[in-house]
Amino acid sequence: MLRNIKTALVSVYYKDGLEPLIKYLYSQGVSFYSTGGTQAFIEGLGIEVQAVESLTSYPSILGGRVKTLHPKVFGGILYRSHEKQDLEELERFEIPKFDLVIVDLYPFEETLKSGADEQAIIEKIDIGGISLIRAAAKNFKETLIISEKSQYSELLQILEQKNGATEETDRKMFATKAFVVSSNYDTQIFHYFDQNEEQAVFRQSHNHAQTLRYGENPHQKGVFYGNLAEIFEQLHGKELSYNNLLDVESALALMAEFTETTFVIIKHTNPCGVASAVTLRQAYLNALACDPVSAFGGVLIANRTIDLETAKELDKLFFEILIAPDFEISALEILQGKKNRILLKQKQKDFGKKQYRSLLNGVLEQEKDWKTETVAELKTVTERQPTESDLRALVFAIKIAKHSKSNAIVLAKDGQLIANGVGQTSRVDSLRHAIEKAKTFGLELAGAVMASEAFFPFPDCVEIAHGEGIKIVVQPGGSIKDQLSIDYCNANQVGMVFSGIRHFKH
């Protein structure tokens, strides 16, 4: 049933975009109640406004902390027209019926992000506004709630289409949006107060949603909740897909390990090419040499500006996505030659400290694997001592193993991933897979180092690696049979280093 608006309560922090709505409501004969700056704004439009203080007989007190918290305000919002007693009480206490409430919230998130002190942040926790929003949303059958500035034009369009009236479905829709606003607001406040994570509860809220073409497969629906514009500027190409986003996250996580000029190629969330070099072009060519077959259709990332020479090489490969901190104009001109090729300029590098995964009837949460071993933390456990060059190669290999699906084996040399075996149910199978790939692409294993993201339960991996000319190995250690691997290494002049850190990734 259509319901006309006769009386509106308006009290907002953001007034941009409000004027056209107020003028339309005034043209429809709507009466206004307001407070403070909003009242002055409406009066500045030449429209008469009743001050809320004249209704409540109480001024705004406590520095503006208490303005609208009064039965004469909330009674006019929460009344039920089908309840005779409600209507009698409205008449007895001279309470107006509010058909429309326009109210937004103090900018808590913005104040928090600005680096303000605690007192300024606390003062931006809205009390009256959040109460008005919840009350009006609860009573959507009688009252229409507008809870943020983005809804001003939406309501105006509805009113113009329906001659100043709304239907219950309209009011319920805006009520739903109001609870989106209020729940997100409370979640952000909770996270501020629970910075020490003392409360064993799960609360997350994202107001930005991007509907994807589909999920992991075409028959699955997919949505990304978050604001990708905070992370990237998309310079070219089609919309990112569900699988693209999974690969992009893997690429960003691995690249965060490197400060030297590095290029990474990701396929199905696993690295299939990684190299560091003096020039970006050489880093790319070395990364590509690891597995040019898997690189086809992959996700690429660099930690330096894409220059013209690198772009010329990149343009020879079909890839889905290229991520970089910047692109030379001449490089962009080449890379934009393929219309669907996605080019992303990375802006943000901090993506939080936690990981979440929906599971069974709940959610798993864990800290991200922030630990990466340094040369100083590696412990040699064999008679053969690694050189400084060996140790640097081992750390390079550990970084790649850390970001590879378990079971993972990484073979590396001279700042280049030679081959890796990932996601196998047996560590021996992962090693054999890596060896086969290296030989397939003509990469020399002699002199390479080997890294495992978890310990060796038996000496078999060390035996196989030694047979291929690998002389230095790093693993976390911790197996009850560690000594068997150490004994084999000592008997065959192979060096073994313990990192002390496991990097399972499932």
Side-chain angles (χ1 to χ4, degrees), residues 254 258 260-267 269-277 282-292 294-295 392-404 408-422 430 433-435 437-439 441-445 448-452:
L254 176 51
F258 297 95
E260 61 272 36
T261 301
T262 302
F263 214 102
V264 170
I265 304 172
I266 296 289
K267 192 67 171 290
T269 73
N270 284 302
C272 62
V274 183
S276 300
Q282 194 58 54
Y284 165 68
L285 292 174
N286 291 351
L288 180 65
C290 172
D291 187 348
S294 294
R392 288 194 298 271
L394 291 173
V395 170
F396 177 85
I398 287 170
K399 291 175 180 180
I400 300 169
K402 170 184 171 181
H403 294 275
S404 303
I409 292 289
V410 169
L411 308 177
K413 180 168 58 174
D414 299 329
Q416 179 185 21
L417 171 62
I418 300 300
N420 58 342
V422 300
S430 290
H433 185 212
I435 292 169
K437 284 179 68 176
K439 291 180 177 179
F441 299 116
L443 297 173
E444 180 61 51
L445 287 172
V449 301
M450 177 172 77
S452 174

Side-chain angles (χ1 to χ4, degrees), residues 302-313:
N303 62 356
R304 298 289 188 273
T305 296
I306 302 296
D307 55 40
L308 177 60
E309 294 305 311
T310 306
K312 288 178 180 178
E313 296 294 341

